[in-house]
Amino acid sequence: MKDFLYRFFQGRYGAYGTDRLTKTCLAASVVILVLSYLTPFEFIYYIAIALLIYSYFRLFSKNIPGRYHENEAFVKFTDRIIKFFRKP
């Protein structure tokens, strides 16, 4: 088991890591997962799992420029929404 973990994490040093989009996807998947247990709709569970898989894909991705551009687009979009609601 120790050798397996060593081999798994050996190539992870160049991975992208967490950013605002990854954290948002993780939080949304947890919220949607809880909602899936409270509602009778089964497809909500699969949406939560898809978000979880996407966030882990982003977390372990070695395509740093690609993930950076995705995060920048997300930050610009969410900042415009936040700025709209903060206007007096």
Side-chain angles (χ1 to χ4, degrees), residues 3 11 21-22 26 46 50 56 59 64-65 72 75 79 82 86:
D3 291 333
L21 178 56
T22 303
L26 280 171
Y46 297 110
Y56 274 101
L59 186 68
I64 294 173
E72 285 299 310
V75 167
D79 283 349
I82 292 169
R86 285 192 179 166

Side-chain angles (χ1 to χ4, degrees), residues 9-63:
F9 286 110
Q10 184 177 14
R12 296 291 103 204
Y13 291 113
Y16 186 62
T18 60
D19 58 9
R20 193 161 151 187
L21 178 56
T22 303
K23 290 177 185 178
T24 303
C25 285
L26 280 171
S29 67
V30 169
V31 168
I32 294 171
L33 221 105
V34 169
L35 285 176
S36 73
Y37 288 114
L38 299 175
T39 61
F41 307 114
E42 280 189 34
F43 69 92
I44 296 175
Y45 173 78
Y46 297 110
I47 293 171
I49 296 300
L51 270 174
L52 190 63
I53 290 170
Y54 179 66
S55 63
Y56 274 101
F57 164 75
R58 287 185 49 77
L59 186 68
F60 290 119
S61 175
K62 288 190 173 187
N63 182 6

